Amino acid sequence: KAVENINQEINNLLKDKCVFNQREIDETMIKADGTENKSRLGANATLAVSLAVAKAAANSLHLPLYKYIGGINAKVLPRPMMNILNGGAHAANNIDIQEFMIIPVGAKTFADGLKICAEIYHNLGKLLKQNGLASGVGDEGGFAPNLESDEAAIEFILQAIEKAGYSGQIKIALDVASSEWYKDGKYTLPKRDKTMTAEQLIEYYSELVSKYPIMSIE
């Protein structure tokens, strides 16, 4: 459906527009979609087109994408965030959080950061196997084992970081995707069959942040 929307309606909307008018192109798609969460044309469709436009503009100027987006002061690539453990709708396991990511804050270059993340990822896979846990992956490439809790997932990631030799150089980011849990004013975690108010959910994740090296929660 997303591809069909791109090839037909979005193509008709944007044909002959200049790729340097990024804001106009994005706003045209948003207006045509007409929903609060881009559900008609699809967020995946509009995001893919928006990024393709940015890449086309960068290529036409013979610039790397980060310099085109970052402007004249862009000197370095942003730190990579690698999704290494999956739950939620992206994985057939018992973890409700959608993505557990690592950020190599101690890396000097993007290439070094990517290398660090890859080594941690492979160490995590080995640890899961050693503990008799499934090392298959979810829809977005992270491992998707059945675990006792969110904390257990974070603990495995911290063990993988230590085993790879990067303790103190890594922060963790969580993409909770909690909007998928929201119904009738409360948040129900489907895989654990646990219901929380917004205040309880905030308190729970605040405790995680105070306990673990978590840099970002969405």
Side-chain angles (χ1 to χ4, degrees):
K1 184 180 178 183
V3 174
E4 183 180 340
N5 286 342
I6 291 170
N7 289 338
Q8 295 182 15
E9 184 171 349
I10 294 175
N11 176 57
N12 293 334
L13 279 172
L14 304 183
K15 189 176 180 180
D16 296 328
K17 286 190 180 294
C18 176
V19 290
F20 298 118
N21 296 332
Q22 184 77 45
R23 185 178 295 277
E24 177 192 347
I25 286 169
D26 290 347
E27 289 177 351
T28 297
M29 289 191 288
I30 291 169
K31 184 177 179 181
D33 177 87
T35 67
E36 291 185 1
N37 60 359
K38 303 178 180 66
S39 58
R40 193 181 74 79
L41 290 175
N44 286 337
T46 52
L47 175 61
V49 172
S50 179
L51 185 56
V53 168
K55 286 182 176 180
N59 287 342
S60 71
L61 295 174
H62 306 289
L63 289 172
L65 181 62
Y66 79 94
K67 282 193 175 181
Y68 174 71
I69 292 175
I72 59 173
N73 290 319
K75 295 177 177 63
V76 295
L77 284 164
R79 293 188 182 103
M81 295 173 66
M82 186 175 285
N83 176 11
I84 64 171
L85 200 149
N86 290 168
H90 291 203
N93 62 358
N94 64 348
I95 301 295
D96 284 298
I97 290 180
Q98 184 168 282
E99 295 173 2
F100 295 78
M101 295 172 281
I102 50 174
I103 310 170
V105 294
K108 302 297 184 188
T109 66
F110 184 91
D112 189 34
L114 183 60
K115 172 180 174 289
I116 289 169
C117 288
E119 290 177 8
I120 294 168
Y121 175 83
H122 288 294
N123 273 283
L124 177 60
K126 291 175 184 176
L127 280 170
L128 294 174
K129 283 185 179 179
Q130 289 168 7
N131 284 271
L133 296 165
S135 56
V137 298
D139 289 352
E140 295 192 349
F143 296 108
N146 284 318
L147 298 171
E148 293 179 3
S149 62
D150 300 335
E151 290 90 335
I154 295 170
E155 290 288 352
F156 267 109
I157 291 171
L158 292 176
Q159 288 179 50
I161 292 169
E162 184 178 1
K163 192 173 177 65
Y166 296 111
S167 295
Q169 301 181 53
I170 306 295
K171 295 287 186 180
I172 294 170
L174 305 177
D175 183 354
V176 179
S178 59
S179 59
E180 295 184 7
W181 308 339
Y182 187 76
K183 187 177 180 182
D184 300 327
K186 292 186 178 180
Y187 293 84
T188 300
L189 285 63
K191 296 183 180 181
R192 302 194 183 281
D193 194 27
K194 184 175 182 179
T195 299
M196 298 184 187
T197 64
E199 291 75 15
Q200 289 171 328
L201 197 66
I202 291 169
E203 183 181 355
Y204 171 64
Y205 286 111
S206 295
E207 289 175 0
L208 284 186
V209 169
S210 66
K211 185 177 180 182
Y212 296 109
I214 294 174
M215 186 175 185
S216 170
I217 295 181
E218 285 191 24

Short mmCIF file of all heavy atoms in Angstrom, two decimals, residues 35-92:
data_model
loop_
_atom_site.label_atom_id
_atom_site.label_comp_id
_atom_site.label_asym_id
_atom_site.label_seq_id
_atom_site.Cartn_x
_atom_site.Cartn_y
_atom_site.Cartn_z
N THR A 35 -4.52 13.70 7.94
CA THR A 35 -4.78 13.09 9.25
C THR A 35 -3.72 13.56 10.25
O THR A 35 -2.68 14.08 9.86
CB THR A 35 -4.73 11.55 9.18
OG1 THR A 35 -3.38 11.12 8.88
CG2 THR A 35 -5.67 11.03 8.10
N GLU A 36 -3.99 13.35 11.53
CA GLU A 36 -3.05 13.78 12.57
C GLU A 36 -1.79 12.92 12.61
O GLU A 36 -0.72 13.40 12.98
CB GLU A 36 -3.73 13.73 13.95
CG GLU A 36 -4.81 14.79 14.14
CD GLU A 36 -5.36 14.79 15.56
OE1 GLU A 36 -4.87 13.97 16.37
OE2 GLU A 36 -6.26 15.59 15.84
N ASN A 37 -1.91 11.65 12.21
CA ASN A 37 -0.76 10.74 12.34
C ASN A 37 -0.33 10.13 10.99
O ASN A 37 0.28 9.07 10.96
CB ASN A 37 -1.08 9.62 13.33
CG ASN A 37 -2.28 8.80 12.91
OD1 ASN A 37 -2.91 9.08 11.87
ND2 ASN A 37 -2.62 7.79 13.69
N LYS A 38 -0.67 10.81 9.91
CA LYS A 38 -0.26 10.38 8.56
C LYS A 38 -0.75 8.97 8.23
O LYS A 38 -0.08 8.21 7.53
CB LYS A 38 1.27 10.46 8.41
CG LYS A 38 1.83 11.85 8.69
CD LYS A 38 3.34 11.87 8.58
CE LYS A 38 3.89 13.26 8.86
NZ LYS A 38 3.68 13.69 10.26
N SER A 39 -1.93 8.64 8.72
CA SER A 39 -2.44 7.27 8.55
C SER A 39 -3.03 7.01 7.17
O SER A 39 -3.16 5.85 6.77
CB SER A 39 -3.48 6.96 9.63
OG SER A 39 -4.55 7.88 9.57
N ARG A 40 -3.40 8.05 6.44
CA ARG A 40 -4.03 7.81 5.13
C ARG A 40 -2.97 7.47 4.08
O ARG A 40 -3.03 6.39 3.47
CB ARG A 40 -4.84 9.04 4.68
CG ARG A 40 -5.76 8.73 3.48
CD ARG A 40 -6.55 9.94 3.04
NE ARG A 40 -5.71 10.91 2.32
CZ ARG A 40 -5.36 10.77 1.04
NH1 ARG A 40 -5.73 9.71 0.35
NH2 ARG A 40 -4.63 11.70 0.45
N LEU A 41 -2.00 8.32 3.86
CA LEU A 41 -0.93 8.02 2.92
C LEU A 41 0.12 7.09 3.53
O LEU A 41 0.79 6.34 2.82
CB LEU A 41 -0.26 9.30 2.43
CG LEU A 41 -1.09 10.20 1.51
CD1 LEU A 41 -0.34 11.49 1.21
CD2 LEU A 41 -1.44 9.48 0.22
N GLY A 42 0.25 7.16 4.84
CA GLY A 42 1.20 6.30 5.54
C GLY A 42 2.47 7.04 5.90
O GLY A 42 3.11 7.67 5.04
N ALA A 43 2.84 6.98 7.17
CA ALA A 43 4.06 7.65 7.63
C ALA A 43 5.29 7.07 6.94
O ALA A 43 6.23 7.79 6.59
CB ALA A 43 4.19 7.51 9.14
N ASN A 44 5.31 5.76 6.71
CA ASN A 44 6.46 5.14 6.04
C ASN A 44 6.59 5.63 4.60
O ASN A 44 7.70 5.79 4.09
CB ASN A 44 6.33 3.61 6.06
CG ASN A 44 6.61 3.02 7.44
OD1 ASN A 44 7.29 3.65 8.24
ND2 ASN A 44 6.07 1.85 7.71
N ALA A 45 5.46 5.87 3.95
CA ALA A 45 5.50 6.35 2.56
C ALA A 45 6.00 7.79 2.50
O ALA A 45 6.90 8.12 1.72
CB ALA A 45 4.12 6.24 1.93
N THR A 46 5.42 8.66 3.33
CA THR A 46 5.80 10.08 3.27
C THR A 46 7.23 10.30 3.76
O THR A 46 7.95 11.13 3.20
CB THR A 46 4.81 10.94 4.08
OG1 THR A 46 4.69 10.41 5.41
CG2 THR A 46 3.44 10.94 3.43
N LEU A 47 7.64 9.57 4.78
CA LEU A 47 9.02 9.69 5.28
C LEU A 47 10.02 9.25 4.21
O LEU A 47 11.05 9.89 3.99
CB LEU A 47 9.20 8.87 6.55
CG LEU A 47 10.63 8.80 7.10
CD1 LEU A 47 11.14 10.19 7.46
CD2 LEU A 47 10.69 7.89 8.32
N ALA A 48 9.72 8.13 3.54
CA ALA A 48 10.62 7.62 2.51
C ALA A 48 10.78 8.63 1.38
O ALA A 48 11.89 8.86 0.88
CB ALA A 48 10.08 6.30 1.96
N VAL A 49 9.68 9.25 0.98
CA VAL A 49 9.74 10.24 -0.10
C VAL A 49 10.51 11.48 0.36
O VAL A 49 11.35 12.02 -0.38
CB VAL A 49 8.33 10.62 -0.57
CG1 VAL A 49 8.37 11.80 -1.54
CG2 VAL A 49 7.65 9.43 -1.23
N SER A 50 10.24 11.93 1.59
CA SER A 50 10.94 13.10 2.12
C SER A 50 12.44 12.88 2.14
O SER A 50 13.23 13.76 1.74
CB SER A 50 10.43 13.41 3.53
OG SER A 50 11.10 14.54 4.07
N LEU A 51 12.87 11.71 2.58
CA LEU A 51 14.30 11.40 2.63
C LEU A 51 14.88 11.27 1.23
O LEU A 51 16.01 11.73 0.97
CB LEU A 51 14.52 10.11 3.43
CG LEU A 51 15.97 9.70 3.68
CD1 LEU A 51 16.73 10.82 4.38
CD2 LEU A 51 16.03 8.43 4.50
N ALA A 52 14.12 10.67 0.32
CA ALA A 52 14.59 10.54 -1.07
C ALA A 52 14.80 11.91 -1.70
O ALA A 52 15.76 12.13 -2.46
CB ALA A 52 13.59 9.72 -1.88
N VAL A 53 13.91 12.85 -1.40
CA VAL A 53 14.03 14.21 -1.91
C VAL A 53 15.31 14.86 -1.38
O VAL A 53 16.08 15.49 -2.13
CB VAL A 53 12.79 15.06 -1.52
CG1 VAL A 53 13.03 16.54 -1.77
CG2 VAL A 53 11.57 14.59 -2.30
N ALA A 54 15.55 14.72 -0.07
CA ALA A 54 16.76 15.29 0.54
C ALA A 54 18.02 14.69 -0.08
O ALA A 54 19.00 15.40 -0.36
CB ALA A 54 16.74 15.08 2.04
N LYS A 55 18.00 13.38 -0.29
CA LYS A 55 19.17 12.72 -0.90
C LYS A 55 19.39 13.19 -2.34
O LYS A 55 20.52 13.39 -2.78
CB LYS A 55 18.99 11.20 -0.86
CG LYS A 55 19.18 10.61 0.52
CD LYS A 55 19.04 9.09 0.48
CE LYS A 55 19.33 8.47 1.83
NZ LYS A 55 19.18 6.98 1.79
N ALA A 56 18.29 13.35 -3.08
CA ALA A 56 18.40 13.81 -4.47
C ALA A 56 19.00 15.21 -4.53
O ALA A 56 19.85 15.52 -5.36
CB ALA A 56 17.02 13.79 -5.14
N ALA A 57 18.54 16.08 -3.60
CA ALA A 57 19.07 17.45 -3.55
C ALA A 57 20.56 17.43 -3.21
O ALA A 57 21.36 18.15 -3.82
CB ALA A 57 18.29 18.27 -2.54
N ALA A 58 20.94 16.60 -2.22
CA ALA A 58 22.35 16.50 -1.83
C ALA A 58 23.20 15.99 -2.98
O ALA A 58 24.29 16.53 -3.26
CB ALA A 58 22.48 15.60 -0.61
N ASN A 59 22.71 14.96 -3.65
CA ASN A 59 23.46 14.39 -4.78
C ASN A 59 23.65 15.40 -5.90
O ASN A 59 24.71 15.45 -6.53
CB ASN A 59 22.73 13.15 -5.32
CG ASN A 59 22.84 11.97 -4.39
OD1 ASN A 59 23.71 11.93 -3.52
ND2 ASN A 59 21.95 11.00 -4.56
N SER A 60 22.63 16.20 -6.16
CA SER A 60 22.73 17.16 -7.26
C SER A 60 23.76 18.24 -6.96
O SER A 60 24.31 18.86 -7.88
CB SER A 60 21.36 17.80 -7.52
OG SER A 60 21.00 18.68 -6.48
N LEU A 61 24.03 18.48 -5.67
CA LEU A 61 25.05 19.46 -5.27
C LEU A 61 26.40 18.80 -4.96
O LEU A 61 27.33 19.48 -4.54
CB LEU A 61 24.57 20.23 -4.03
CG LEU A 61 23.32 21.11 -4.23
CD1 LEU A 61 22.88 21.68 -2.89
CD2 LEU A 61 23.59 22.23 -5.23
N HIS A 62 26.45 17.48 -5.14
CA HIS A 62 27.67 16.70 -4.87
C HIS A 62 28.11 16.86 -3.41
O HIS A 62 29.29 17.01 -3.10
CB HIS A 62 28.80 17.11 -5.82
CG HIS A 62 28.43 17.04 -7.26
ND1 HIS A 62 28.24 15.85 -7.93
CD2 HIS A 62 28.17 18.03 -8.17
CE1 HIS A 62 27.90 16.09 -9.18
NE2 HIS A 62 27.84 17.41 -9.35
N LEU A 63 27.11 16.82 -2.51
CA LEU A 63 27.37 16.92 -1.08
C LEU A 63 26.90 15.65 -0.37
O LEU A 63 25.89 15.07 -0.77
CB LEU A 63 26.60 18.10 -0.47
CG LEU A 63 27.08 19.51 -0.81
CD1 LEU A 63 26.06 20.52 -0.27
CD2 LEU A 63 28.45 19.78 -0.21
N PRO A 64 27.60 15.24 0.70
CA PRO A 64 27.04 14.16 1.53
C PRO A 64 25.76 14.66 2.22
O PRO A 64 25.62 15.86 2.47
CB PRO A 64 28.14 13.86 2.55
CG PRO A 64 29.00 15.07 2.56
CD PRO A 64 28.91 15.69 1.20
N LEU A 65 24.86 13.75 2.50
CA LEU A 65 23.55 14.13 3.04
C LEU A 65 23.66 14.95 4.32
O LEU A 65 22.94 15.92 4.51
CB LEU A 65 22.70 12.88 3.27
CG LEU A 65 21.28 13.11 3.81
CD1 LEU A 65 20.46 13.92 2.82
CD2 LEU A 65 20.60 11.78 4.11
N TYR A 66 24.58 14.56 5.22
CA TYR A 66 24.66 15.26 6.51
C TYR A 66 25.09 16.72 6.33
O TYR A 66 24.68 17.60 7.08
CB TYR A 66 25.59 14.52 7.47
CG TYR A 66 27.07 14.71 7.26
CD1 TYR A 66 27.78 15.69 7.96
CD2 TYR A 66 27.77 13.91 6.36
CE1 TYR A 66 29.14 15.86 7.77
CE2 TYR A 66 29.13 14.08 6.17
CZ TYR A 66 29.81 15.05 6.87
OH TYR A 66 31.15 15.22 6.68
N LYS A 67 25.91 16.99 5.31
CA LYS A 67 26.33 18.37 5.06
C LYS A 67 25.20 19.18 4.42
O LYS A 67 25.03 20.36 4.72
CB LYS A 67 27.58 18.41 4.17
CG LYS A 67 28.86 18.09 4.91
CD LYS A 67 30.09 18.44 4.09
CE LYS A 67 31.36 18.23 4.90
NZ LYS A 67 32.57 18.59 4.14
N TYR A 68 24.44 18.52 3.56
CA TYR A 68 23.32 19.23 2.94
C TYR A 68 22.28 19.61 4.00
O TYR A 68 21.80 20.74 4.04
CB TYR A 68 22.67 18.35 1.87
CG TYR A 68 21.41 18.96 1.30
CD1 TYR A 68 21.46 20.08 0.47
CD2 TYR A 68 20.16 18.43 1.62
CE1 TYR A 68 20.31 20.65 -0.04
CE2 TYR A 68 19.00 19.00 1.11
CZ TYR A 68 19.08 20.10 0.28
OH TYR A 68 17.94 20.67 -0.21
N ILE A 69 21.95 18.67 4.88
CA ILE A 69 20.95 18.93 5.93
C ILE A 69 21.52 19.83 7.02
O ILE A 69 20.86 20.73 7.53
CB ILE A 69 20.44 17.61 6.53
CG1 ILE A 69 19.63 16.84 5.48
CG2 ILE A 69 19.58 17.86 7.76
CD1 ILE A 69 19.19 15.47 5.93
N GLY A 70 22.78 19.61 7.39
CA GLY A 70 23.39 20.33 8.50
C GLY A 70 23.82 21.74 8.17
O GLY A 70 24.06 22.53 9.07
N GLY A 71 23.94 22.06 6.88
CA GLY A 71 24.32 23.42 6.51
C GLY A 71 25.82 23.63 6.49
O GLY A 71 26.61 22.69 6.65
N ILE A 72 26.23 24.88 6.34
CA ILE A 72 27.64 25.19 6.12
C ILE A 72 28.51 24.88 7.34
O ILE A 72 29.71 24.74 7.22
CB ILE A 72 27.83 26.67 5.72
CG1 ILE A 72 27.28 27.61 6.81
CG2 ILE A 72 27.19 26.96 4.39
CD1 ILE A 72 27.57 29.07 6.56
N ASN A 73 27.90 24.80 8.52
CA ASN A 73 28.67 24.50 9.72
C ASN A 73 28.75 23.01 10.04
O ASN A 73 29.34 22.63 11.05
CB ASN A 73 28.08 25.24 10.93
CG ASN A 73 28.29 26.74 10.84
OD1 ASN A 73 29.36 27.18 10.46
ND2 ASN A 73 27.28 27.51 11.18
N ALA A 74 28.16 22.16 9.20
CA ALA A 74 28.20 20.72 9.45
C ALA A 74 29.60 20.18 9.18
O ALA A 74 30.09 20.25 8.06
CB ALA A 74 27.18 20.01 8.57
N LYS A 75 30.25 19.69 10.22
CA LYS A 75 31.63 19.20 10.07
C LYS A 75 31.76 17.72 10.40
O LYS A 75 32.74 17.09 10.03
CB LYS A 75 32.56 20.01 10.97
CG LYS A 75 32.66 21.48 10.55
CD LYS A 75 33.54 22.27 11.51
CE LYS A 75 33.71 23.71 11.06
NZ LYS A 75 32.44 24.45 11.04
N VAL A 76 30.82 17.19 11.16
CA VAL A 76 30.90 15.78 11.54
C VAL A 76 29.53 15.13 11.37
O VAL A 76 28.50 15.79 11.41
CB VAL A 76 31.37 15.60 13.00
CG1 VAL A 76 32.80 16.09 13.17
CG2 VAL A 76 30.44 16.34 13.95
N LEU A 77 29.56 13.83 11.19
CA LEU A 77 28.31 13.06 11.14
C LEU A 77 27.74 12.94 12.55
O LEU A 77 28.49 12.94 13.53
CB LEU A 77 28.57 11.66 10.60
CG LEU A 77 28.79 11.53 9.09
CD1 LEU A 77 29.43 10.19 8.79
CD2 LEU A 77 27.46 11.64 8.36
N PRO A 78 26.42 12.82 12.69
CA PRO A 78 25.84 12.56 14.02
C PRO A 78 26.22 11.16 14.50
O PRO A 78 26.62 10.31 13.72
CB PRO A 78 24.33 12.67 13.78
CG PRO A 78 24.15 12.41 12.32
CD PRO A 78 25.39 12.92 11.64
N ARG A 79 26.12 10.96 15.80
CA ARG A 79 26.40 9.63 16.35
C ARG A 79 25.36 8.64 15.85
O ARG A 79 24.18 8.95 15.80
CB ARG A 79 26.35 9.66 17.87
CG ARG A 79 27.44 10.46 18.55
CD ARG A 79 27.37 10.24 20.04
NE ARG A 79 28.37 11.04 20.75
CZ ARG A 79 28.09 12.15 21.40
NH1 ARG A 79 26.86 12.61 21.44
NH2 ARG A 79 29.04 12.82 22.02
N PRO A 80 25.79 7.43 15.51
CA PRO A 80 24.80 6.41 15.12
C PRO A 80 24.03 5.91 16.34
O PRO A 80 24.55 5.95 17.46
CB PRO A 80 25.66 5.29 14.52
CG PRO A 80 26.99 5.44 15.18
CD PRO A 80 27.17 6.92 15.42
N MET A 81 22.80 5.50 16.13
CA MET A 81 22.02 4.80 17.16
C MET A 81 21.66 3.44 16.58
O MET A 81 20.99 3.37 15.56
CB MET A 81 20.75 5.58 17.49
CG MET A 81 21.00 6.93 18.12
SD MET A 81 19.49 7.92 18.31
CE MET A 81 18.57 6.95 19.49
N MET A 82 22.13 2.37 17.20
CA MET A 82 21.89 1.03 16.64
C MET A 82 20.85 0.29 17.46
O MET A 82 20.97 0.15 18.67
CB MET A 82 23.19 0.23 16.58
CG MET A 82 23.01 -1.11 15.88
SD MET A 82 24.56 -2.03 15.68
CE MET A 82 25.33 -1.13 14.34
N ASN A 83 19.83 -0.17 16.77
CA ASN A 83 18.74 -0.94 17.36
C ASN A 83 19.22 -2.38 17.51
O ASN A 83 19.41 -3.08 16.51
CB ASN A 83 17.53 -0.84 16.43
CG ASN A 83 16.36 -1.68 16.87
OD1 ASN A 83 16.34 -2.19 17.98
ND2 ASN A 83 15.39 -1.82 16.00
N ILE A 84 19.42 -2.85 18.75
CA ILE A 84 20.01 -4.18 18.93
C ILE A 84 19.09 -5.18 19.64
O ILE A 84 19.39 -6.38 19.66
CB ILE A 84 21.36 -4.11 19.67
CG1 ILE A 84 21.22 -3.58 21.09
CG2 ILE A 84 22.35 -3.27 18.88
CD1 ILE A 84 22.50 -3.71 21.91
N LEU A 85 17.99 -4.70 20.24
CA LEU A 85 17.06 -5.63 20.88
C LEU A 85 15.64 -5.11 20.65
O LEU A 85 15.37 -3.94 20.86
CB LEU A 85 17.37 -5.78 22.37
CG LEU A 85 16.80 -7.02 23.06
CD1 LEU A 85 17.71 -7.47 24.21
CD2 LEU A 85 15.40 -6.79 23.60
N ASN A 86 14.77 -5.99 20.18
CA ASN A 86 13.41 -5.60 19.78
C ASN A 86 12.33 -6.23 20.63
O ASN A 86 12.47 -7.35 21.11
CB ASN A 86 13.14 -6.01 18.33
CG ASN A 86 13.90 -5.20 17.30
OD1 ASN A 86 13.93 -5.57 16.14
ND2 ASN A 86 14.53 -4.12 17.72
N GLY A 87 11.24 -5.51 20.76
CA GLY A 87 10.02 -6.02 21.37
C GLY A 87 8.84 -5.36 20.69
O GLY A 87 8.94 -4.94 19.54
N GLY A 88 7.75 -5.24 21.40
CA GLY A 88 6.58 -4.57 20.84
C GLY A 88 6.02 -5.24 19.61
O GLY A 88 6.15 -6.46 19.42
N ALA A 89 5.42 -4.43 18.74
CA ALA A 89 4.78 -4.96 17.53
C ALA A 89 5.79 -5.50 16.53
O ALA A 89 5.43 -6.20 15.58
CB ALA A 89 3.94 -3.87 16.88
N HIS A 90 7.09 -5.17 16.72
CA HIS A 90 8.11 -5.57 15.76
C HIS A 90 8.69 -6.96 16.04
O HIS A 90 9.56 -7.41 15.30
CB HIS A 90 9.25 -4.55 15.76
CG HIS A 90 8.87 -3.23 15.18
ND1 HIS A 90 9.78 -2.35 14.66
CD2 HIS A 90 7.66 -2.64 15.01
CE1 HIS A 90 9.17 -1.27 14.21
NE2 HIS A 90 7.88 -1.43 14.42
N ALA A 91 8.26 -7.60 17.11
CA ALA A 91 8.87 -8.87 17.47
C ALA A 91 7.86 -9.79 18.14
O ALA A 91 7.02 -9.35 18.92
CB ALA A 91 10.05 -8.64 18.41
N ALA A 92 7.99 -11.09 17.84
CA ALA A 92 7.10 -12.09 18.43
C ALA A 92 7.69 -12.62 19.72
O ALA A 92 8.03 -13.80 19.85
CB ALA A 92 6.87 -13.23 17.43
#
